[in-house]
């Protein structure tokens, strides 16, 4: 179970562009911060400690942040917000967010335990996001790319109409500008509250990728913990390269559903990135700290630029 | 009577009365005396049926869509089509019997027909995995679709599955990837494509053969992002909320037509497809031929553009007017 990262910036409404200006602190290893993240930090006591769920080490907040939310002792990858991911991958001052203000509507008038509308409001407040994906263009080590980053903290990264629309638009933009697409996934799948509209986003995004591929443009799918169901059964599985962060849980059906259906014991490490590398789905498992250089190298190679 | 749904009981009761009356009259050779009464009960049956079926709840539709006596893909394939020649295997791992396909003719027109297939009894259901395909099923479907593209055969897919199979082998052989590739590749097929949800349209497992120029649905079929049971246990944390979930998800043919997510509803006989296979099969056949001829008349380039635009348009969002 992944909890939304409580320490992350972005509680306030932030401007669209999320890469910091050039005169900000060096991007890595001293990680840049959003101006808004300082404000947010004031109401949290200094010196917050995090316990690593894997090795149980106590990790100092700021140390963890400089390490891109990766435990220095055991390499456990903590969750990473979409904004942090963009800061990590995109060169300073180059990110231009696309369609930041699209928001979801309760088109089914979903009647459940609590209304979809109120769920949306709550998640907008707690995450500072409009929906579960941020899209835009920017430079990754000077390579111009189109980027979509999902954020699990917004309704479990679920894909409804807005996620599907923003991803489709960024792919279409990449096709028309002849640039590569990178999608960083993290999602529990299609969003139930939008019913069949959500399912159709799988077809829509995959169709956009068909035309992007037809132009022989690279698409790299980056899987992070967790990527499952409808997202995995659409764009996340369609990369020329499919890479994953270590230990990420990746699959179609949830382990409980599989257990209930088959009444069988699941093999050790089932549905982890390592398991899927062995079974032939993934091209590589790349540590977060090496992701940017890996992507830069790969895009450069595919584009014949380096 | 076997496989009687709860809401069908009033009709069955009347039917039993009618049968008794008839056999009684035959036994005693009293046919004339009962004619009036027989006619009266027959009218009553018609009325009751009309009443019940005019106000089916979404959950009742789901039950009809899952009815074990409903026509399945092969029933339509054998009777709405002619000259069916089944093709097997994905050329990679296995022949998935939950997904059938092959050459056929529809009113003389050469086509490729593909469908998910449920079993009629326990033995067949085990062989067909209850209509839930493994990755091999989706890869076989794609192999056949690519062949159809090569030989200029229009593709018709029949969808009737609770969903792609959630099993260990399915995950090990990347069922999500198999479905995803189908979604992408179906976008670019250079032949007319028609999908029909004939029973259960179970989420990604249904969509995996559903990205077509036309998406049609039988009157009592459903098409949903998640099963009502799954939704109930996730959102309500309570399986008994299934009926509520079925309503909240808006999964009936009428809902989907209203949302523009399907192109046409194919009428079923009163009482549901399981009560009258012949009429259902004829009904599907007529509609399919009409759509196929329409699509054949469209130039390939336009058809592909329309197909993209159709799926591109799905979704409801709020977009602020830019200043």
């Amino acid at each position: 179970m992944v909890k939304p990262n409580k320490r992350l910036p972005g509680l306030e409404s932030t401007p669209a562009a999320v890469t910091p200006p050039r005169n900000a602190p060096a991007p890595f290893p001293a990680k840049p911060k959003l101006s808004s993240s300082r404000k947010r930090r004031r109401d949290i006591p200094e010196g917050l400690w995090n316990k690593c769920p894997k090795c149980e080490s106590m990790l100092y907040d700021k140390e963890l942040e400089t390490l891109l939310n990766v435990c220095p002792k055991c390499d456990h990858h903590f969750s990473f917000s979409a904004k942090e991911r963009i800061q990590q991958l995109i060169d300073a001052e180059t990110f231009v967010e696309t369609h930041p203000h699209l928001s979801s509507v309760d088109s089914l008038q979903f009647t459940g335990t609590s209304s979809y509308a109120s769920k949306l409001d709550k998640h907008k407040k707690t995450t500072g996001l409009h929906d579960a994906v941020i899209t835009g263009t920017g430079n990754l080590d000077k390579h111009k790319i189109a980027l979509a980053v999902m954020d699990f903290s917004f309704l479990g990264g679920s894909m409804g109409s807005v996620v599907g629309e923003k991803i489709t638009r960024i792919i279409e933009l990449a096709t028309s500008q002849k640039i590569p697409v990178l999608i960083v996934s993290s999602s529990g799948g299609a969003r139930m509250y939008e019913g069949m509209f959500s399912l159709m986003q799988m077809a829509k995004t995959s169709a956009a990728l068909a035309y992007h591929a037809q132009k022989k443009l690279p698409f790299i799918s980056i899987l992070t913990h967790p990527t499952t169901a409808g997202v995995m059964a659409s764009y996340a599985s369609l990369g020329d390269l499919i890479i994953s962060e270590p230990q990420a849980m990746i699959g179609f059906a949830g382990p409980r559903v599989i257990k209930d259906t088959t009444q069988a014991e699941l093999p050790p490490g089932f549905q982890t990135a390592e398991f899927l590398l062995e079974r032939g789905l993934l091209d590589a498992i790349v540590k977060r700290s090496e992701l940017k250089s890996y992507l830069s190298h790969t895009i450069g190679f595919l584009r014949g630029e380096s | 009577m076997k496989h009687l749904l709860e809401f069908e009981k009033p009709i069955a009761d009347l039917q039993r009365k009618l049968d008794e009356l008839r056999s009684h009259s035959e036994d005693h050779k009293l046919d004339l005396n009962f004619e009036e009464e027989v006619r009266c009960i027959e009218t009553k049956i018609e009325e009751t049926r009309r009443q019940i079926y005019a106000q089916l709840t979404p959950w009742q539709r789901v039950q009809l869509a899952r009815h074990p006596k409903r026509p399945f893909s092969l029933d339509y394939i054998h009777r709405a089509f002619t000259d069916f020649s089944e093709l097997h295997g994905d050329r990679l791992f296995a022949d998935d019997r939950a997904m059938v396909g092959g050459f056929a003719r529809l009113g003389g027109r050469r086509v490729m027909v593909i469908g998910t297939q449920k079993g009629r009894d326990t033995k067949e259901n085990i062989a067909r995995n209850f209509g839930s395909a493994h990755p091999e099923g989706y890869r076989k479907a794609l192999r056949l679709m690519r062949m159809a593209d090569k030989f200029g055969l229009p593709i018709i897919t029949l969808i009737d599955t609770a969903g792609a199979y959630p099993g260990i082998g399915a995950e090990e052989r990347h069922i999500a990837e198999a479905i995803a590739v189908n979604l992408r590749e179906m976008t670019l097929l250079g032949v007319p494509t028609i999908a029909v949800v004939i029973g259960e349209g179970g989420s990604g497992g249904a969509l995996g053969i559903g990205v077509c120029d036309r998406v049609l649905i039988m009157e009592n079929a459903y098409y949903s992002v998640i099963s009502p049971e799954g939704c109930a246990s996730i959102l309500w944390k309570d399986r008994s909320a299934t009926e509520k979930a079925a309503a909240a998800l808006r999964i009936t043919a009428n809902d989907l037509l209203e949302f523009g997510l399907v192109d046409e509803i194919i009428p079923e006989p009163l009482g549901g497809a399981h009560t009258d296979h012949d009429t259902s099969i004829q009904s599907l056949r007529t509609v399919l031929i009409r759509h196929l001829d329409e699509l054949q008349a469209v130039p390939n380039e336009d058809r592909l553009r329309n197909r993209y635009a159709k799926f591109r348009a799905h979704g409801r969002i709020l977009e602020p007017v830019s200043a």
Side-chain angles (χ1 to χ4, degrees):
Chain A
M1 182 67 195
V2 177
K3 287 191 189 115
N5 197 330
K6 287 198 190 84
R7 313 173 304 97
L8 300 183
L11 267 187
E12 303 78 8
S13 63
T14 46
V18 295
T19 38
R22 234 180 269 286
N23 55 5
F28 182 75
K31 210 176 77 60
K33 287 185 195 113
L34 281 172
S35 54
S36 62
S37 73
R38 290 223 179 83
K39 253 200 275 166
R40 161 91 178 92
R41 219 148 277 282
R42 273 194 212 121
D43 28 46
I44 294 177
E46 280 295 317
L48 200 71
W49 291 83
N50 293 279
K51 191 178 183 182
C52 174
K54 198 171 147 203
C55 73
E56 305 202 327
S57 304
M58 294 306 286
L59 304 166
Y60 187 53
D61 202 21
K62 288 199 166 155
E63 184 196 10
L64 197 56
E65 201 171 307
T66 38
L67 296 169
L68 303 169
N69 282 5
V70 177
C71 174
K73 308 251 167 52
C74 73
D75 216 28
H76 172 75
H77 285 52
F78 286 80
S79 65
F80 210 36
S81 74
K83 287 177 184 178
E84 286 178 302
R85 179 77 61 183
I86 293 164
Q87 287 183 15
Q88 181 209 351
L89 294 180
I90 300 297
D91 305 344
E93 270 189 328
T94 65
F95 189 72
V96 181
E97 186 172 354
T98 50
H99 312 292
H101 300 297
L102 291 195
S103 49
S104 298
V105 281
D106 185 7
S107 40
L108 308 190
Q109 308 279 310
F110 198 96
T111 47
T113 40
S114 65
S115 79
Y116 179 36
S118 71
K119 278 233 150 67
L120 283 170
D121 280 346
K122 196 183 116 200
H123 279 82
K124 280 182 190 177
K125 281 201 190 95
T126 55
T127 62
L129 300 165
H130 274 85
D131 214 292
V133 71
I134 298 178
T135 56
T137 57
N139 293 351
L140 188 152
D141 266 351
K142 303 198 177 82
H143 303 290
K144 184 160 190 207
I145 61 152
L147 178 69
V149 186
M150 304 190 74
D151 197 312
F152 196 77
S153 64
F154 194 100
L155 276 166
S158 57
M159 171 162 64
S161 299
V162 167
V163 170
E165 182 68 23
K166 284 174 81 169
I167 286 180
T168 304
R169 286 188 191 183
I170 198 69
I171 296 166
E172 287 175 337
L173 183 87
T175 308
S176 70
Q177 296 192 3
K178 300 189 168 55
I179 55 174
V181 175
L182 265 61
I183 302 180
V184 183
S185 295
S186 176
S187 173
R191 191 175 293 171
M192 273 182 284
Y193 299 102
E194 291 182 40
M196 280 295 289
F197 288 114
S198 298
L199 192 78
M200 288 303 160
Q201 305 312 309
M202 295 167 62
K204 184 162 117 182
T205 51
S206 302
L209 284 171
Y211 284 96
H212 186 259
Q214 216 177 34
K215 299 268 184 230
K216 304 204 184 296
L217 298 165
F219 164 41
I220 301 177
S221 172
I222 300 138
L223 313 180
T224 70
H225 180 76
T227 302
T228 60
V231 166
M232 197 55 205
S234 57
Y235 53 83
S237 285
L238 293 175
D240 295 302
L241 276 80
I242 308 175
I243 63 176
S244 173
E245 287 197 336
Q247 299 285 317
M249 192 267 181
I250 298 161
F252 179 64
R256 212 188 51 208
V257 174
I258 297 171
K259 246 181 147 165
D260 288 353
T261 311
T262 60
Q263 302 295 322
E265 274 306 306
L266 306 181
F270 187 59
Q271 296 185 315
T272 59
E274 290 71 17
F275 179 89
L276 290 166
L277 182 77
E278 206 173 280
R279 297 293 188 288
L281 182 74
L282 304 177
D283 289 280
I285 295 173
V286 181
K287 286 183 188 178
R288 194 173 290 163
S289 58
E290 291 161 10
L291 184 62
K292 183 167 182 175
S293 62
Y294 181 93
L295 293 171
S296 167
H297 178 81
T298 307
I299 294 165
F301 185 85
L302 290 174
R303 306 285 270 175
E305 286 164 3
S306 59
Chain B
M1 206 161 136
K2 237 174 133 191
H3 305 305
L4 194 63
L5 298 173
E6 188 62 36
F7 60 88
E8 289 179 311
K9 277 188 183 145
I11 304 168
D13 288 343
L14 287 168
Q15 189 68 48
R16 194 165 346 101
K17 251 188 226 164
L18 185 67
D19 293 346
E20 275 167 17
L21 198 63
R22 277 190 178 137
S23 67
H24 186 74
S25 77
E26 270 169 33
D27 290 350
H28 301 277
K29 309 216 182 301
L30 296 167
D31 39 7
L32 277 176
N33 302 4
F34 288 103
E35 212 165 68
E36 187 68 13
E37 209 165 322
V38 164
R39 208 173 304 128
C40 180
I41 295 178
E42 276 174 348
T43 321
K44 183 99 173 103
I45 288 177
E46 270 313 294
E47 256 170 39
T48 313
R49 183 174 280 144
R50 213 174 292 281
Q51 261 174 20
I52 290 171
Y53 279 81
Q55 44 191 338
L56 287 177
T57 67
W59 175 239
Q60 288 170 337
R61 299 246 190 222
V62 172
Q63 290 173 290
L64 284 175
R66 290 175 178 168
H67 201 286
K69 300 236 158 162
R70 207 174 158 80
F72 296 151
S73 290
L74 281 174
D75 298 308
Y76 289 108
I77 291 173
H78 286 305
R79 293 169 62 191
F81 298 76
T82 54
D83 304 322
F84 177 57
S85 168
E86 189 171 358
L87 303 167
H88 295 276
D90 67 346
R91 303 269 172 93
L92 292 163
F93 187 80
D95 181 42
D96 189 340
R97 300 192 60 203
M99 184 79 76
V100 297
F103 301 132
R105 284 181 188 271
L106 180 66
R109 300 155 189 80
R110 297 180 310 138
V111 299
M112 179 71 81
V113 59
I114 296 165
T116 49
Q117 178 65 32
K118 293 180 177 177
R120 197 56 80 186
D121 52 36
T122 308
K123 195 175 158 222
E124 197 196 350
N125 256 323
I126 288 165
R128 305 261 183 218
N129 201 31
F130 296 84
S132 283
H134 279 77
E136 294 70 46
Y138 294 95
R139 292 185 179 128
K140 165 162 121 183
L142 182 60
R143 180 176 82 80
L144 299 186
M145 289 191 273
R146 282 179 169 149
M147 177 160 38
D149 192 356
K150 179 176 176 184
F151 295 112
L153 305 173
I155 297 163
I156 290 154
T157 67
L158 304 176
I159 296 168
D160 186 17
T161 179
Y165 188 61
I168 294 169
E171 296 283 335
E172 284 181 317
R173 300 190 300 279
H174 319 307
I175 191 150
E177 192 262 0
I179 291 171
V181 169
N182 283 16
L183 305 184
R184 183 185 64 199
E185 297 304 309
M186 289 184 82
T187 308
L188 299 176
L189 292 168
V191 289
T193 56
I194 305 173
V196 192
V197 185
I198 58 168
E200 292 193 87
S203 194
L207 187 65
I209 54 167
V211 182
C212 294
D213 296 316
R214 298 284 156 85
V215 180
L216 316 175
I217 189 166
M218 298 291 291
E219 188 181 340
N220 293 311
Y222 79 91
Y223 198 179
S224 179
V225 67
I226 187 170
S227 71
E229 288 87 348
C231 179
S233 73
I234 295 171
L235 287 190
W236 280 266
K237 319 261 179 239
D238 178 7
R239 280 241 157 188
S240 64
T242 298
E243 217 172 319
K244 270 189 255 175
L249 286 164
R250 310 286 300 273
I251 59 182
T252 65
N254 280 326
D255 286 327
L256 297 169
L257 186 71
E258 187 192 313
F259 289 146
L261 295 170
V262 298
D263 299 298
E264 186 173 333
I265 299 172
I266 302 174
E268 289 182 25
L270 193 67
H274 66 281
T275 60
D276 182 354
H277 282 206
D278 289 343
T279 308
S280 312
I281 287 162
Q282 196 49 46
S283 181
L284 178 104
R285 184 175 182 276
T286 312
V287 176
L288 269 183
I289 288 175
R290 171 162 46 81
H291 282 282
L292 189 54
D293 289 347
E294 276 173 27
L295 288 169
Q296 293 271 41
V298 180
N300 193 35
E301 222 169 87
D302 295 349
R303 205 186 318 109
L304 284 173
R305 198 178 318 114
N306 295 344
R307 190 186 301 157
Y308 185 74
K310 171 196 182 71
F311 286 91
R312 181 71 188 80
H314 289 334
R316 296 255 173 110
I317 54 170
L318 198 66
E319 181 157 29
V321 185
S322 52

